[in-house]
Structures are given as C-alpha cells and as structure tokens.
Amino acid sequence: EYYQLGINGVALATLCSLLIYNLCKFLFLKIKLNMNPFKINNLWVLLIGIFSYAIVSILPLTDFIIVNILLKSVAITCLFLVPIIYFNISPDITEMVQRLLNRFKK
C-alpha cells in the first residue's frame, strides 16, 4: 500500500530532509569554520514562541472564523513581541519597533 501515511508521510519526509540538510550546514560551520550561528537569544526566542503558541492554542473558538483568525493573530503577536521587545532579546526588532512608534508620534 503506497498511501499508508498520506499527507503526514509527506510532512514527515520533508521534516527529515530539512533536519538533515540544516544539521549538515551547522556541522560544516562548526567544524570547518569554527563558527556557531546560534546564540542564547535564539533559545529565548524559541521558548517565547512555544509559550505564545501554547497560550493561543487553548483560547476558546467562536462561531465566526474571521473573529478567530483576528483574535489569535493579535494574541500571538502580542505574546511574542512584547517579551522580545521588553527584554531586548533582538536589538534589531526593538530598534524597528522604536522607529515605527516614532513615526506615529509625529
């Protein structure tokens, strides 16, 4: 039977191939060039993202799909961006938000 896993099999195969490819790139950078492309801030961003997703996934759904999309989009954006800006995890994002806020203050 060719279709045992269906679309989940395609997703699993894509996950495996991307994981192997990116692991090879990481190992090349680490071994050949002695560079580490990741910092501790990357871990914080990942944890904040997982936390944001977990909170938004338990929000109750309404009968209106557009309202669901808007509520969940606003919630995940706030839950993700506020800690990143408050703790200055990404100076680039913090600077971009400051520039946007300064534009609206004029």
Side-chain angles (χ1 to χ4, degrees):
E1 186 74 25
Y2 290 109
Y3 302 106
Q4 276 186 334
L5 296 178
I7 194 71
N8 290 333
V10 174
L12 183 61
T14 303
L15 172 71
C16 290
S17 63
L18 286 173
L19 185 67
I20 291 169
Y21 176 71
N22 286 315
L23 182 63
C24 290
K25 285 193 320 186
F26 173 75
L27 290 174
F28 176 79
L29 284 173
K30 190 68 177 158
I31 294 169
K32 292 288 187 183
L33 303 175
N34 198 21
M35 293 173 60
N36 187 0
F38 301 110
K39 297 180 182 174
I40 192 69
N41 287 350
N42 296 104
L43 179 63
W44 285 114
V45 169
L46 181 65
L47 291 175
I48 291 170
I50 291 170
F51 173 77
S52 301
Y53 177 77
I55 295 297
V56 169
S57 67
I58 62 173
L59 287 177
L61 297 175
T62 65
D63 291 334
F64 305 101
I65 195 161
I66 299 296
V67 173
N68 290 337
I69 292 169
L70 288 173
L71 285 176
K72 289 191 177 226
S73 297
V74 168
I76 202 158
T77 301
C78 291
L79 286 171
F80 187 72
L81 280 182
V82 169
I84 288 177
I85 293 168
Y86 182 77
F87 294 114
N88 197 20
I89 293 174
S90 174
D92 295 332
I93 292 176
T94 305
E95 180 185 335
M96 181 183 68
V97 170
Q98 288 299 326
R99 276 191 272 137
L100 284 173
L101 290 176
N102 289 337
R103 278 190 187 173
F104 288 118
K105 286 181 183 178
K106 292 182 180 181

PDB file of all heavy atoms in Angstrom, residues 43-76:
ATOM      1  N   LEU A  43      17.603  30.665  21.711  1.00  0.00           N
ATOM      2  CA  LEU A  43      16.862  29.761  22.595  1.00  0.00           C
ATOM      3  C   LEU A  43      15.705  30.494  23.259  1.00  0.00           C
ATOM      4  O   LEU A  43      14.603  29.957  23.369  1.00  0.00           O
ATOM      5  CB  LEU A  43      17.795  29.158  23.646  1.00  0.00           C
ATOM      6  CG  LEU A  43      17.156  28.221  24.651  1.00  0.00           C
ATOM      7  CD1 LEU A  43      16.583  26.996  23.951  1.00  0.00           C
ATOM      8  CD2 LEU A  43      18.155  27.818  25.708  1.00  0.00           C
ATOM      9  N   TRP A  44      15.955  31.735  23.697  1.00  0.00           N
ATOM     10  CA  TRP A  44      14.884  32.523  24.316  1.00  0.00           C
ATOM     11  C   TRP A  44      13.748  32.789  23.336  1.00  0.00           C
ATOM     12  O   TRP A  44      12.578  32.696  23.687  1.00  0.00           O
ATOM     13  CB  TRP A  44      15.419  33.837  24.882  1.00  0.00           C
ATOM     14  CG  TRP A  44      16.173  33.645  26.150  1.00  0.00           C
ATOM     15  CD1 TRP A  44      17.497  33.847  26.363  1.00  0.00           C
ATOM     16  CD2 TRP A  44      15.651  33.185  27.397  1.00  0.00           C
ATOM     17  NE1 TRP A  44      17.836  33.537  27.646  1.00  0.00           N
ATOM     18  CE2 TRP A  44      16.718  33.134  28.309  1.00  0.00           C
ATOM     19  CE3 TRP A  44      14.389  32.809  27.825  1.00  0.00           C
ATOM     20  CZ2 TRP A  44      16.542  32.723  29.623  1.00  0.00           C
ATOM     21  CZ3 TRP A  44      14.216  32.404  29.143  1.00  0.00           C
ATOM     22  CH2 TRP A  44      15.288  32.365  30.022  1.00  0.00           C
ATOM     23  N   VAL A  45      14.086  33.108  22.102  1.00  0.00           N
ATOM     24  CA  VAL A  45      13.059  33.344  21.083  1.00  0.00           C
ATOM     25  C   VAL A  45      12.250  32.072  20.851  1.00  0.00           C
ATOM     26  O   VAL A  45      11.014  32.115  20.748  1.00  0.00           O
ATOM     27  CB  VAL A  45      13.695  33.854  19.767  1.00  0.00           C
ATOM     28  CG1 VAL A  45      12.688  33.845  18.630  1.00  0.00           C
ATOM     29  CG2 VAL A  45      14.272  35.240  19.958  1.00  0.00           C
ATOM     30  N   LEU A  46      12.908  30.939  20.789  1.00  0.00           N
ATOM     31  CA  LEU A  46      12.220  29.662  20.607  1.00  0.00           C
ATOM     32  C   LEU A  46      11.281  29.379  21.783  1.00  0.00           C
ATOM     33  O   LEU A  46      10.122  28.980  21.581  1.00  0.00           O
ATOM     34  CB  LEU A  46      13.239  28.530  20.455  1.00  0.00           C
ATOM     35  CG  LEU A  46      12.672  27.142  20.228  1.00  0.00           C
ATOM     36  CD1 LEU A  46      11.943  27.074  18.893  1.00  0.00           C
ATOM     37  CD2 LEU A  46      13.781  26.110  20.290  1.00  0.00           C
ATOM     38  N   LEU A  47      11.746  29.592  22.999  1.00  0.00           N
ATOM     39  CA  LEU A  47      10.911  29.342  24.175  1.00  0.00           C
ATOM     40  C   LEU A  47       9.716  30.293  24.235  1.00  0.00           C
ATOM     41  O   LEU A  47       8.605  29.873  24.563  1.00  0.00           O
ATOM     42  CB  LEU A  47      11.750  29.458  25.455  1.00  0.00           C
ATOM     43  CG  LEU A  47      12.783  28.359  25.663  1.00  0.00           C
ATOM     44  CD1 LEU A  47      13.632  28.653  26.894  1.00  0.00           C
ATOM     45  CD2 LEU A  47      12.114  27.009  25.782  1.00  0.00           C
ATOM     46  N   ILE A  48       9.930  31.561  23.909  1.00  0.00           N
ATOM     47  CA  ILE A  48       8.830  32.524  23.889  1.00  0.00           C
ATOM     48  C   ILE A  48       7.815  32.130  22.812  1.00  0.00           C
ATOM     49  O   ILE A  48       6.606  32.225  23.018  1.00  0.00           O
ATOM     50  CB  ILE A  48       9.360  33.963  23.682  1.00  0.00           C
ATOM     51  CG1 ILE A  48      10.129  34.412  24.923  1.00  0.00           C
ATOM     52  CG2 ILE A  48       8.228  34.932  23.372  1.00  0.00           C
ATOM     53  CD1 ILE A  48      10.900  35.703  24.732  1.00  0.00           C
ATOM     54  N   GLY A  49       8.309  31.675  21.665  1.00  0.00           N
ATOM     55  CA  GLY A  49       7.417  31.235  20.595  1.00  0.00           C
ATOM     56  C   GLY A  49       6.584  30.040  20.995  1.00  0.00           C
ATOM     57  O   GLY A  49       5.374  29.991  20.731  1.00  0.00           O
ATOM     58  N   ILE A  50       7.200  29.072  21.653  1.00  0.00           N
ATOM     59  CA  ILE A  50       6.469  27.884  22.118  1.00  0.00           C
ATOM     60  C   ILE A  50       5.438  28.281  23.167  1.00  0.00           C
ATOM     61  O   ILE A  50       4.282  27.821  23.133  1.00  0.00           O
ATOM     62  CB  ILE A  50       7.446  26.818  22.665  1.00  0.00           C
ATOM     63  CG1 ILE A  50       8.271  26.236  21.522  1.00  0.00           C
ATOM     64  CG2 ILE A  50       6.710  25.726  23.431  1.00  0.00           C
ATOM     65  CD1 ILE A  50       9.421  25.358  21.970  1.00  0.00           C
ATOM     66  N   PHE A  51       5.828  29.146  24.085  1.00  0.00           N
ATOM     67  CA  PHE A  51       4.904  29.629  25.123  1.00  0.00           C
ATOM     68  C   PHE A  51       3.721  30.366  24.492  1.00  0.00           C
ATOM     69  O   PHE A  51       2.561  30.128  24.851  1.00  0.00           O
ATOM     70  CB  PHE A  51       5.650  30.536  26.102  1.00  0.00           C
ATOM     71  CG  PHE A  51       4.761  31.204  27.104  1.00  0.00           C
ATOM     72  CD1 PHE A  51       4.264  30.500  28.182  1.00  0.00           C
ATOM     73  CD2 PHE A  51       4.416  32.541  26.962  1.00  0.00           C
ATOM     74  CE1 PHE A  51       3.436  31.112  29.111  1.00  0.00           C
ATOM     75  CE2 PHE A  51       3.594  33.155  27.874  1.00  0.00           C
ATOM     76  CZ  PHE A  51       3.091  32.438  28.956  1.00  0.00           C
ATOM     77  N   SER A  52       4.003  31.243  23.531  1.00  0.00           N
ATOM     78  CA  SER A  52       2.946  32.007  22.862  1.00  0.00           C
ATOM     79  C   SER A  52       1.978  31.075  22.152  1.00  0.00           C
ATOM     80  O   SER A  52       0.756  31.237  22.243  1.00  0.00           O
ATOM     81  CB  SER A  52       3.542  32.989  21.856  1.00  0.00           C
ATOM     82  OG  SER A  52       4.417  33.880  22.485  1.00  0.00           O
ATOM     83  N   TYR A  53       2.516  30.114  21.427  1.00  0.00           N
ATOM     84  CA  TYR A  53       1.674  29.149  20.713  1.00  0.00           C
ATOM     85  C   TYR A  53       0.813  28.341  21.684  1.00  0.00           C
ATOM     86  O   TYR A  53      -0.368  28.104  21.430  1.00  0.00           O
ATOM     87  CB  TYR A  53       2.525  28.222  19.855  1.00  0.00           C
ATOM     88  CG  TYR A  53       1.709  27.174  19.159  1.00  0.00           C
ATOM     89  CD1 TYR A  53       0.959  27.483  18.033  1.00  0.00           C
ATOM     90  CD2 TYR A  53       1.662  25.868  19.648  1.00  0.00           C
ATOM     91  CE1 TYR A  53       0.184  26.524  17.406  1.00  0.00           C
ATOM     92  CE2 TYR A  53       0.897  24.906  19.035  1.00  0.00           C
ATOM     93  CZ  TYR A  53       0.162  25.239  17.909  1.00  0.00           C
ATOM     94  OH  TYR A  53      -0.604  24.287  17.300  1.00  0.00           O
ATOM     95  N   ALA A  54       1.408  27.925  22.803  1.00  0.00           N
ATOM     96  CA  ALA A  54       0.669  27.123  23.777  1.00  0.00           C
ATOM     97  C   ALA A  54      -0.497  27.915  24.361  1.00  0.00           C
ATOM     98  O   ALA A  54      -1.610  27.384  24.502  1.00  0.00           O
ATOM     99  CB  ALA A  54       1.598  26.646  24.888  1.00  0.00           C
ATOM    100  N   ILE A  55      -0.264  29.173  24.686  1.00  0.00           N
ATOM    101  CA  ILE A  55      -1.330  30.003  25.247  1.00  0.00           C
ATOM    102  C   ILE A  55      -2.438  30.227  24.218  1.00  0.00           C
ATOM    103  O   ILE A  55      -3.626  30.093  24.513  1.00  0.00           O
ATOM    104  CB  ILE A  55      -0.765  31.357  25.741  1.00  0.00           C
ATOM    105  CG1 ILE A  55       0.208  31.144  26.902  1.00  0.00           C
ATOM    106  CG2 ILE A  55      -1.887  32.306  26.140  1.00  0.00           C
ATOM    107  CD1 ILE A  55      -0.403  30.542  28.139  1.00  0.00           C
ATOM    108  N   VAL A  56      -2.058  30.559  22.987  1.00  0.00           N
ATOM    109  CA  VAL A  56      -3.055  30.846  21.955  1.00  0.00           C
ATOM    110  C   VAL A  56      -3.829  29.586  21.576  1.00  0.00           C
ATOM    111  O   VAL A  56      -5.015  29.657  21.257  1.00  0.00           O
ATOM    112  CB  VAL A  56      -2.376  31.493  20.724  1.00  0.00           C
ATOM    113  CG1 VAL A  56      -3.309  31.562  19.543  1.00  0.00           C
ATOM    114  CG2 VAL A  56      -1.881  32.885  21.085  1.00  0.00           C
ATOM    115  N   SER A  57      -3.201  28.437  21.638  1.00  0.00           N
ATOM    116  CA  SER A  57      -3.899  27.207  21.242  1.00  0.00           C
ATOM    117  C   SER A  57      -4.999  26.811  22.224  1.00  0.00           C
ATOM    118  O   SER A  57      -5.900  26.052  21.856  1.00  0.00           O
ATOM    119  CB  SER A  57      -2.908  26.062  21.080  1.00  0.00           C
ATOM    120  OG  SER A  57      -2.353  25.710  22.325  1.00  0.00           O
ATOM    121  N   ILE A  58      -4.951  27.315  23.452  1.00  0.00           N
ATOM    122  CA  ILE A  58      -6.006  26.979  24.412  1.00  0.00           C
ATOM    123  C   ILE A  58      -7.114  28.030  24.459  1.00  0.00           C
ATOM    124  O   ILE A  58      -8.068  27.873  25.205  1.00  0.00           O
ATOM    125  CB  ILE A  58      -5.438  26.740  25.836  1.00  0.00           C
ATOM    126  CG1 ILE A  58      -4.761  27.988  26.382  1.00  0.00           C
ATOM    127  CG2 ILE A  58      -4.517  25.553  25.863  1.00  0.00           C
ATOM    128  CD1 ILE A  58      -4.330  27.872  27.835  1.00  0.00           C
ATOM    129  N   LEU A  59      -6.993  29.089  23.655  1.00  0.00           N
ATOM    130  CA  LEU A  59      -8.068  30.076  23.592  1.00  0.00           C
ATOM    131  C   LEU A  59      -9.316  29.430  23.013  1.00  0.00           C
ATOM    132  O   LEU A  59      -9.238  28.636  22.082  1.00  0.00           O
ATOM    133  CB  LEU A  59      -7.662  31.260  22.714  1.00  0.00           C
ATOM    134  CG  LEU A  59      -6.638  32.232  23.272  1.00  0.00           C
ATOM    135  CD1 LEU A  59      -6.305  33.287  22.223  1.00  0.00           C
ATOM    136  CD2 LEU A  59      -7.140  32.886  24.536  1.00  0.00           C
ATOM    137  N   PRO A  60     -10.475  29.789  23.554  1.00  0.00           N
ATOM    138  CA  PRO A  60     -11.706  29.202  23.013  1.00  0.00           C
ATOM    139  C   PRO A  60     -12.015  29.766  21.625  1.00  0.00           C
ATOM    140  O   PRO A  60     -11.650  30.891  21.299  1.00  0.00           O
ATOM    141  CB  PRO A  60     -12.776  29.635  24.022  1.00  0.00           C
ATOM    142  CG  PRO A  60     -12.220  30.854  24.673  1.00  0.00           C
ATOM    143  CD  PRO A  60     -10.727  30.676  24.676  1.00  0.00           C
ATOM    144  N   LEU A  61     -12.667  28.958  20.820  1.00  0.00           N
ATOM    145  CA  LEU A  61     -13.047  29.366  19.468  1.00  0.00           C
ATOM    146  C   LEU A  61     -14.450  29.949  19.468  1.00  0.00           C
ATOM    147  O   LEU A  61     -15.308  29.537  20.248  1.00  0.00           O
ATOM    148  CB  LEU A  61     -12.987  28.170  18.521  1.00  0.00           C
ATOM    149  CG  LEU A  61     -11.625  27.526  18.314  1.00  0.00           C
ATOM    150  CD1 LEU A  61     -11.773  26.279  17.454  1.00  0.00           C
ATOM    151  CD2 LEU A  61     -10.671  28.505  17.673  1.00  0.00           C
ATOM    152  N   THR A  62     -14.668  30.891  18.565  1.00  0.00           N
ATOM    153  CA  THR A  62     -16.007  31.430  18.369  1.00  0.00           C
ATOM    154  C   THR A  62     -16.627  30.757  17.147  1.00  0.00           C
ATOM    155  O   THR A  62     -15.985  29.939  16.483  1.00  0.00           O
ATOM    156  CB  THR A  62     -15.955  32.953  18.147  1.00  0.00           C
ATOM    157  OG1 THR A  62     -15.273  33.218  16.923  1.00  0.00           O
ATOM    158  CG2 THR A  62     -15.245  33.654  19.279  1.00  0.00           C
ATOM    159  N   ASP A  63     -17.851  31.121  16.851  1.00  0.00           N
ATOM    160  CA  ASP A  63     -18.516  30.563  15.676  1.00  0.00           C
ATOM    161  C   ASP A  63     -18.111  31.275  14.389  1.00  0.00           C
ATOM    162  O   ASP A  63     -18.469  30.830  13.299  1.00  0.00           O
ATOM    163  CB  ASP A  63     -20.040  30.651  15.839  1.00  0.00           C
ATOM    164  CG  ASP A  63     -20.545  29.719  16.928  1.00  0.00           C
ATOM    165  OD1 ASP A  63     -19.868  28.704  17.187  1.00  0.00           O
ATOM    166  OD2 ASP A  63     -21.599  30.011  17.521  1.00  0.00           O
ATOM    167  N   PHE A  64     -17.405  32.379  14.513  1.00  0.00           N
ATOM    168  CA  PHE A  64     -17.015  33.186  13.360  1.00  0.00           C
ATOM    169  C   PHE A  64     -15.530  33.004  13.080  1.00  0.00           C
ATOM    170  O   PHE A  64     -14.684  33.357  13.896  1.00  0.00           O
ATOM    171  CB  PHE A  64     -17.331  34.657  13.607  1.00  0.00           C
ATOM    172  CG  PHE A  64     -18.765  34.893  13.966  1.00  0.00           C
ATOM    173  CD1 PHE A  64     -19.137  35.102  15.285  1.00  0.00           C
ATOM    174  CD2 PHE A  64     -19.747  34.874  12.997  1.00  0.00           C
ATOM    175  CE1 PHE A  64     -20.457  35.308  15.624  1.00  0.00           C
ATOM    176  CE2 PHE A  64     -21.077  35.074  13.318  1.00  0.00           C
ATOM    177  CZ  PHE A  64     -21.437  35.293  14.638  1.00  0.00           C
ATOM    178  N   ILE A  65     -15.215  32.464  11.927  1.00  0.00           N
ATOM    179  CA  ILE A  65     -13.829  32.133  11.604  1.00  0.00           C
ATOM    180  C   ILE A  65     -12.951  33.375  11.489  1.00  0.00           C
ATOM    181  O   ILE A  65     -11.794  33.364  11.899  1.00  0.00           O
ATOM    182  CB  ILE A  65     -13.752  31.252  10.340  1.00  0.00           C
ATOM    183  CG1 ILE A  65     -12.377  30.623  10.234  1.00  0.00           C
ATOM    184  CG2 ILE A  65     -14.070  32.036   9.101  1.00  0.00           C
ATOM    185  CD1 ILE A  65     -12.334  29.430   9.321  1.00  0.00           C
ATOM    186  N   ILE A  66     -13.492  34.467  10.975  1.00  0.00           N
ATOM    187  CA  ILE A  66     -12.713  35.707  10.844  1.00  0.00           C
ATOM    188  C   ILE A  66     -12.350  36.249  12.220  1.00  0.00           C
ATOM    189  O   ILE A  66     -11.224  36.708  12.451  1.00  0.00           O
ATOM    190  CB  ILE A  66     -13.498  36.759  10.024  1.00  0.00           C
ATOM    191  CG1 ILE A  66     -13.789  36.250   8.621  1.00  0.00           C
ATOM    192  CG2 ILE A  66     -12.760  38.084   9.978  1.00  0.00           C
ATOM    193  CD1 ILE A  66     -12.569  36.011   7.775  1.00  0.00           C
ATOM    194  N   VAL A  67     -13.292  36.181  13.154  1.00  0.00           N
ATOM    195  CA  VAL A  67     -13.017  36.630  14.528  1.00  0.00           C
ATOM    196  C   VAL A  67     -11.940  35.759  15.154  1.00  0.00           C
ATOM    197  O   VAL A  67     -11.035  36.261  15.838  1.00  0.00           O
ATOM    198  CB  VAL A  67     -14.314  36.613  15.369  1.00  0.00           C
ATOM    199  CG1 VAL A  67     -14.031  36.916  16.832  1.00  0.00           C
ATOM    200  CG2 VAL A  67     -15.321  37.603  14.802  1.00  0.00           C
ATOM    201  N   ASN A  68     -12.001  34.445  14.924  1.00  0.00           N
ATOM    202  CA  ASN A  68     -10.969  33.539  15.439  1.00  0.00           C
ATOM    203  C   ASN A  68      -9.590  33.915  14.902  1.00  0.00           C
ATOM    204  O   ASN A  68      -8.612  33.963  15.646  1.00  0.00           O
ATOM    205  CB  ASN A  68     -11.277  32.092  15.059  1.00  0.00           C
ATOM    206  CG  ASN A  68     -12.458  31.545  15.796  1.00  0.00           C
ATOM    207  OD1 ASN A  68     -12.805  32.024  16.865  1.00  0.00           O
ATOM    208  ND2 ASN A  68     -13.096  30.555  15.218  1.00  0.00           N
ATOM    209  N   ILE A  69      -9.524  34.151  13.602  1.00  0.00           N
ATOM    210  CA  ILE A  69      -8.252  34.496  12.977  1.00  0.00           C
ATOM    211  C   ILE A  69      -7.705  35.796  13.558  1.00  0.00           C
ATOM    212  O   ILE A  69      -6.522  35.881  13.915  1.00  0.00           O
ATOM    213  CB  ILE A  69      -8.407  34.592  11.441  1.00  0.00           C
ATOM    214  CG1 ILE A  69      -8.680  33.202  10.857  1.00  0.00           C
ATOM    215  CG2 ILE A  69      -7.185  35.219  10.798  1.00  0.00           C
ATOM    216  CD1 ILE A  69      -9.097  33.218   9.404  1.00  0.00           C
ATOM    217  N   LEU A  70      -8.571  36.809  13.668  1.00  0.00           N
ATOM    218  CA  LEU A  70      -8.128  38.099  14.207  1.00  0.00           C
ATOM    219  C   LEU A  70      -7.677  37.987  15.663  1.00  0.00           C
ATOM    220  O   LEU A  70      -6.617  38.502  16.033  1.00  0.00           O
ATOM    221  CB  LEU A  70      -9.244  39.141  14.073  1.00  0.00           C
ATOM    222  CG  LEU A  70      -9.526  39.631  12.664  1.00  0.00           C
ATOM    223  CD1 LEU A  70     -10.762  40.519  12.633  1.00  0.00           C
ATOM    224  CD2 LEU A  70      -8.322  40.375  12.121  1.00  0.00           C
ATOM    225  N   LEU A  71      -8.478  37.322  16.488  1.00  0.00           N
ATOM    226  CA  LEU A  71      -8.137  37.198  17.907  1.00  0.00           C
ATOM    227  C   LEU A  71      -6.828  36.434  18.117  1.00  0.00           C
ATOM    228  O   LEU A  71      -5.962  36.856  18.885  1.00  0.00           O
ATOM    229  CB  LEU A  71      -9.264  36.506  18.673  1.00  0.00           C
ATOM    230  CG  LEU A  71     -10.507  37.333  18.945  1.00  0.00           C
ATOM    231  CD1 LEU A  71     -11.569  36.473  19.624  1.00  0.00           C
ATOM    232  CD2 LEU A  71     -10.179  38.539  19.806  1.00  0.00           C
ATOM    233  N   LYS A  72      -6.696  35.321  17.436  1.00  0.00           N
ATOM    234  CA  LYS A  72      -5.485  34.514  17.607  1.00  0.00           C
ATOM    235  C   LYS A  72      -4.263  35.221  17.036  1.00  0.00           C
ATOM    236  O   LYS A  72      -3.174  35.137  17.606  1.00  0.00           O
ATOM    237  CB  LYS A  72      -5.666  33.129  16.995  1.00  0.00           C
ATOM    238  CG  LYS A  72      -6.619  32.280  17.812  1.00  0.00           C
ATOM    239  CD  LYS A  72      -6.617  30.850  17.389  1.00  0.00           C
ATOM    240  CE  LYS A  72      -7.534  30.075  18.304  1.00  0.00           C
ATOM    241  NZ  LYS A  72      -6.961  28.852  18.776  1.00  0.00           N
ATOM    242  N   SER A  73      -4.425  35.938  15.940  1.00  0.00           N
ATOM    243  CA  SER A  73      -3.301  36.665  15.355  1.00  0.00           C
ATOM    244  C   SER A  73      -2.823  37.781  16.277  1.00  0.00           C
ATOM    245  O   SER A  73      -1.621  37.942  16.511  1.00  0.00           O
ATOM    246  CB  SER A  73      -3.688  37.260  14.003  1.00  0.00           C
ATOM    247  OG  SER A  73      -4.003  36.250  13.093  1.00  0.00           O
ATOM    248  N   VAL A  74      -3.768  38.539  16.815  1.00  0.00           N
ATOM    249  CA  VAL A  74      -3.404  39.623  17.737  1.00  0.00           C
ATOM    250  C   VAL A  74      -2.788  39.047  19.009  1.00  0.00           C
ATOM    251  O   VAL A  74      -1.770  39.556  19.508  1.00  0.00           O
ATOM    252  CB  VAL A  74      -4.639  40.493  18.055  1.00  0.00           C
ATOM    253  CG1 VAL A  74      -4.364  41.433  19.212  1.00  0.00           C
ATOM    254  CG2 VAL A  74      -5.052  41.277  16.820  1.00  0.00           C
ATOM    255  N   ALA A  75      -3.360  37.976  19.524  1.00  0.00           N
ATOM    256  CA  ALA A  75      -2.854  37.376  20.763  1.00  0.00           C
ATOM    257  C   ALA A  75      -1.436  36.847  20.587  1.00  0.00           C
ATOM    258  O   ALA A  75      -0.555  37.108  21.417  1.00  0.00           O
ATOM    259  CB  ALA A  75      -3.788  36.263  21.232  1.00  0.00           C
ATOM    260  N   ILE A  76      -1.182  36.117  19.523  1.00  0.00           N
ATOM    261  CA  ILE A  76       0.158  35.540  19.351  1.00  0.00           C
ATOM    262  C   ILE A  76       1.183  36.631  19.056  1.00  0.00           C
ATOM    263  O   ILE A  76       2.329  36.562  19.501  1.00  0.00           O
ATOM    264  CB  ILE A  76       0.176  34.425  18.295  1.00  0.00           C
ATOM    265  CG1 ILE A  76       1.385  33.521  18.540  1.00  0.00           C
ATOM    266  CG2 ILE A  76       0.219  34.962  16.889  1.00  0.00           C
ATOM    267  CD1 ILE A  76       1.259  32.155  17.953  1.00  0.00           C
TER     268      ILE A  76
END
